[in-house]
């Protein structure tokens, strides 16, 4: 039996029209845990080549568009939110999605201006042209799944040639992860107000681990640097982290520094507590149970 052509496969996808109204933002946990996106708004073409334990990730970009950024990933949060909402309502979902630019931009907290629409199209181009090869969710350590964040996308125009809508096709790897309830987390809508790439990445990582320990969690700084995929030198990365700790911008979480039993400084975080309760990030010695060390499985 001959393999289906891409055109034939596309014809078998049922169009999923975006649902109207407000809904909770949902994020895919795999995307929250690992370095898949550029944290800078400047064009990045240098690949992300990451390995930790059995996890391998390679992200490659084209010189024309550059690598998909963590702001571009807002479109994937929109897509995940739509799919999970429809699934929970018992509605049919699909990798082939359609929406108006206004619906997408409104959900991710951006105005419906010509400039933002142009930025939306540029984000779609970067998501399509960025390629990923990863061992995550593969049955064999030697197996890699290769895909782009968007298989293809197109504009729908009205009779005057003005944009009326967008259609896009998500990759199997992303869609399968979103359809598994254990692979998706609700995030705070204030996430979209975070302006820095590092603080956006840090919020997603913190949200991924935030519910595991009532007394918070902590990370080795060099481990964080490696896991971010950032091109910044370690000293600059540590300086930027310190500035984020001073500003406390992450919704729902408080950041701080702790010292483990060996005397090493860790970046610690814990859920924000109601007024009057003891802050778990008050200066203290961190137990080894609350310290995340390089090589620990996430």
């Amino acid at each position: 039996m001959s393999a289906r052509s891409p055109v034939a496969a596309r014809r078998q996808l049922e169009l999923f029209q975006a649902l109207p109204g407000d809904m909770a933002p949902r994020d895919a946990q795999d995307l929250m845990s690992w370095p898949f996106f550029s944290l800078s708004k400047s064009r990045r073409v240098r690949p992300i080549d990451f390995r930790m334990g059995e996890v391998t990730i390679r992200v490659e970009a084209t010189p024309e568009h550059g690598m998909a950024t963590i702001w571009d990933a807002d479109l994937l949060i929109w897509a995940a939110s739509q799919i999970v909402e429809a699934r929970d309502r018992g509605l049919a979902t699909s990798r082939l999605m359609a929406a108006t630019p206004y619906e997408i931009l409104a959900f991710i907290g951006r105005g419906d201006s010509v400039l933002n629409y142009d930025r939306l199209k540029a984000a779609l181009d970067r998501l399509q042209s960025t390629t990923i090869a990863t061992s995550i969710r593969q049955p064999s350590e030697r197996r890699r799944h290769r895909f782009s964040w968007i298989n293809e996308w197109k504009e729908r125009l009205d009779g005057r040639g003005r944009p009326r809508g967008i259609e896009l096709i998500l990759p199997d790897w992303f869609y399968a992860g979103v359809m598994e309830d254990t692979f998706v987390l609700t995030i705070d809508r204030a996430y979209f107000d975070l302006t820095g790439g590092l603080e956006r990445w840090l919020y997603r990582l913190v949200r991924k681990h935030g519910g595991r320990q009532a007394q918070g969690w902590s990370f080795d700084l060099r481990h964080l640097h490696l896991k971010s995929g950032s091109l910044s030198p370690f000293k600059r990365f540590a300086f930027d982290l310190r500035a984020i700790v001073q500003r406390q911008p992450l919704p729902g979480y408080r950041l701080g520094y702790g010292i483990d039993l060996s005397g090493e400084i860790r970046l610690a975080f814990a859920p924000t507590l109601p007024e009057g309760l003891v802050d778990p990030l008050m200066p203290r010695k961190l137990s080894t149970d609350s310290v995340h060390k390089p090589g620990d499985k996430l």
Side-chain angles (χ1 to χ4, degrees):
M1 181 180 296
S2 61
R4 291 179 299 167
S5 70
V7 174
R10 187 185 189 284
R11 287 173 180 166
Q12 295 185 12
L13 290 173
E14 295 292 332
L15 181 66
F16 170 44
Q17 187 69 44
L19 300 174
D22 292 333
M23 61 189 68
R26 277 94 166 196
D27 206 349
Q29 291 197 45
D30 288 332
L31 275 61
M32 302 166 79
S33 296
W34 306 105
F36 281 113
F37 302 99
S38 170
L39 304 186
S40 172
K41 290 184 177 179
S42 60
R43 182 173 301 184
R44 174 172 176 169
V45 295
R46 180 176 168 181
I48 295 173
D49 206 347
F50 176 86
R51 178 181 291 273
M52 182 175 291
E54 297 179 354
V55 172
T56 61
I57 298 170
R58 183 170 176 84
V59 184
E60 297 178 318
T62 63
E64 179 182 2
H65 298 294
M67 184 178 294
T69 71
I70 199 163
W71 293 272
D72 300 337
D74 288 358
L75 277 72
L76 299 178
I77 295 175
W78 166 81
S81 305
Q82 285 282 332
I83 292 168
V84 172
E85 183 74 15
R87 183 201 66 193
D88 290 350
R89 294 186 192 180
L91 304 175
T93 63
S94 173
R95 294 190 297 116
L96 174 59
M97 302 182 67
T100 66
Y102 173 80
E103 289 172 326
I104 299 174
L105 291 170
F107 182 85
I108 62 178
R110 304 183 198 178
D112 186 25
S113 65
V114 173
L115 177 59
N116 280 329
Y117 181 60
D118 288 341
R119 288 173 174 169
L120 174 63
K121 292 192 292 182
L124 288 163
D125 282 338
R126 283 189 294 271
L127 290 165
Q128 184 181 14
S129 61
T130 299
T131 57
I132 302 94
T134 182
S135 63
I136 296 174
R137 285 193 275 116
Q138 299 308 296
S140 169
E141 184 179 349
R142 297 182 179 179
R143 182 172 173 177
R144 302 289 181 272
H145 197 124
R146 298 179 182 274
F147 59 93
S148 296
W149 292 120
I150 292 178
N151 288 0
E152 59 180 271
W153 74 277
K154 68 177 182 179
E155 293 179 274
R156 291 180 289 137
L157 305 177
D158 62 18
R160 298 183 180 180
R162 297 174 300 188
R164 187 169 61 92
I166 290 173
E167 290 184 12
L168 58 88
I169 300 180
L170 300 168
D172 284 322
W173 185 89
F174 176 79
Y175 182 76
V178 171
M179 289 298 288
E180 286 285 342
D181 192 49
T182 56
F183 291 156
V184 178
L185 285 175
T186 301
I187 64 173
D188 196 307
R189 184 165 291 280
Y191 166 78
F192 296 119
D193 297 328
L194 297 176
T195 57
L198 183 58
E199 63 190 34
R200 278 174 158 247
W201 169 79
L202 192 59
Y203 171 80
R204 297 172 89 189
L205 186 71
V206 165
R207 175 67 185 93
K208 168 70 169 61
H209 295 278
R212 291 191 176 186
Q213 291 201 19
Q215 294 303 312
W217 199 261
S218 69
F219 292 92
D220 175 88
L221 296 189
R222 290 195 179 274
H223 172 75
L224 281 178
H225 183 235
L226 174 65
K227 206 159 189 237
S228 71
S230 172
L231 292 177
S232 295
F234 174 72
K235 287 186 177 180
R236 179 67 195 185
F237 177 84
F239 177 83
D240 291 339
L241 279 182
R242 191 177 302 113
I244 291 174
V245 172
Q246 291 175 344
R247 289 188 290 108
Q248 296 293 336
L250 304 193
Y253 295 94
R254 178 164 176 76
L255 302 171
Y257 286 107
I259 303 176
D260 67 12
L261 298 180
S262 65
E264 290 190 62
I265 297 176
R266 310 280 182 180
L267 179 70
F269 67 85
T272 302
L273 297 177
E275 187 175 353
L277 296 183
V278 176
D279 187 343
L281 296 184
M282 291 293 287
R284 61 188 172 90
K285 291 284 186 179
L286 296 178
S287 71
T288 54
D289 289 339
S290 64
V291 173
H292 185 88
K293 299 178 180 178
D296 289 351
K297 184 172 287 188
L298 299 181

